[in-house]
């Protein structure tokens, strides 16, 4: 991982990196998005966790049994990529998942700014998990061309 401070890395990477997506909004205004997996809002900014921050959070679905995994980075293990992430498997009910996210993210002063984004991601993962386990098939919402 990075041995330089996050501010310097961000200044180098903010306009040119492989995860950057440039979109044009209304008129000539350009909006920059970011495809990093640890970026909750998919916006290209220093506030959102990503490659330049020492503290990152990632919530994802994993495994054949489909369970939710919360990954946080250990700030003192950046020179050891194998031991970099702390993984917590969440297979319980929704209230325990949200309590765990709040305990891990906010109460330990990890990244308290992104509390609502982390809870929204957990909620979305939990609801998709319920649909996947129930066996319901999702409708195809694409239009059929004739």
């Amino acid at each position: 991982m990075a041995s330089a401070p996050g501010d310097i890395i961000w200044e180098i990477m903010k306009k040119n990196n492989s995860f950057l997506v440039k979109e044009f909004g209304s008129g000539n205004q350009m909006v920059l998005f970011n495809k990093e997996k640890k970026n909750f809002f998919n916006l290209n900014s220093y506030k959102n966790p990503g490659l330049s921050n020492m503290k990152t959070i990632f919530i994802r679905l994993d495994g054949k049994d489909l369970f939710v995994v919360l990954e946080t980075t250990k700030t003192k293990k950046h020179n050891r990529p194998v031991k970099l992430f702390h993984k917590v498997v969440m297979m319980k009910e929704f209230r325990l998942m949200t309590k765990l996210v709040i305990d891990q993210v906010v109460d330990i002063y990890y990244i308290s700014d992104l509390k609502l984004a982390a809870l929204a991601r957990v909620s979305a993962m939990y609801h998709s998990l319920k649909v996947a386990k129930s066996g319901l098939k999702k409708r195809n919402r694409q239009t059929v061309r004739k």
Side-chain angles (χ1 to χ4, degrees), residues 3 16 46-47 57 77 79-80 100-101 113 125 139:
S3 60
N16 295 315
Y46 180 71
K47 176 185 173 185
I57 304 163
K77 301 286 184 182
N79 57 350
R80 297 180 184 168
L100 180 68
V101 168
D113 297 346
M125 294 289 174
R139 285 188 340 189

Side-chain angles (χ1 to χ4, degrees), residues 114-129:
L114 300 175
K115 173 185 173 183
L116 295 178
L119 290 176
R121 178 72 54 105
V122 167
S123 176
M125 294 289 174
Y126 179 74
H127 290 299
S128 68
L129 185 68

Side-chain angles (χ1 to χ4, degrees), residues 21-42:
V21 177
K22 298 177 182 179
E23 296 280 331
F24 285 99
S26 60
N28 291 334
Q29 288 185 328
M30 185 170 48
V31 182
L32 297 175
F33 293 106
N34 203 327
K35 296 188 297 186
E36 292 177 89
K37 66 179 185 176
K38 298 172 190 162
N39 194 334
F40 284 130
F41 296 114
N42 294 332

Side-chain angles (χ1 to χ4, degrees), residues 24 43 55 65 83 143:
F24 285 99
L43 294 174
K55 296 180 179 182
D65 297 333
K83 298 181 180 182
T143 59

Side-chain angles (χ1 to χ4, degrees), residues 4-139:
D7 298 335
I8 295 173
I9 294 172
W10 170 248
E11 288 297 323
I12 294 170
M13 293 178 36
K14 72 179 174 183
K15 291 188 179 177
N16 295 315
N17 63 44
S18 63
F19 299 108
L20 193 62
V21 177
K22 298 177 182 179
E23 296 280 331
F24 285 99
S26 60
N28 291 334
Q29 288 185 328
M30 185 170 48
V31 182
L32 297 175
F33 293 106
N34 203 327
K35 296 188 297 186
E36 292 177 89
K37 66 179 185 176
K38 298 172 190 162
N39 194 334
F40 284 130
F41 296 114
N42 294 332
L43 294 174
N44 191 36
S45 67
Y46 180 71
K47 176 185 173 185
N48 298 322
L51 297 174
S52 61
N53 288 348
M54 296 288 281
K55 296 180 179 182
T56 60
I57 304 163
F58 182 49
I59 300 169
R60 62 181 170 88
L61 289 176
D62 193 24
K64 291 182 180 179
D65 297 333
L66 293 176
F67 49 87
V68 180
V69 176
L70 170 70
E71 291 183 4
T72 56
T73 53
K74 299 176 187 176
T75 56
K76 295 184 180 180
K77 301 286 184 182
H78 274 278
N79 57 350
R80 297 180 184 168
V82 175
K83 298 181 180 182
L84 181 63
F85 294 105
H86 179 258
K87 298 178 184 177
V88 178
V89 177
M90 301 182 286
M91 297 181 359
K92 307 288 182 181
E93 63 184 40
F94 182 68
R95 289 181 184 174
L96 293 177
M97 290 173 130
T98 57
K99 184 180 183 311
L100 180 68
V101 168
I102 291 171
D103 289 345
Q104 288 285 325
V105 176
V106 179
D107 291 344
I108 303 175
Y109 302 108
Y110 206 71
I111 300 177
S112 60
D113 297 346
L114 300 175
K115 173 185 173 183
L116 295 178
L119 290 176
R121 178 72 54 105
V122 167
S123 176
M125 294 289 174
Y126 179 74
H127 290 299
S128 68
L129 185 68
K130 285 179 64 175
V131 169
K133 283 191 175 179
S134 68
L136 294 175
K137 293 183 179 179
K138 294 182 179 179
R139 285 188 340 189

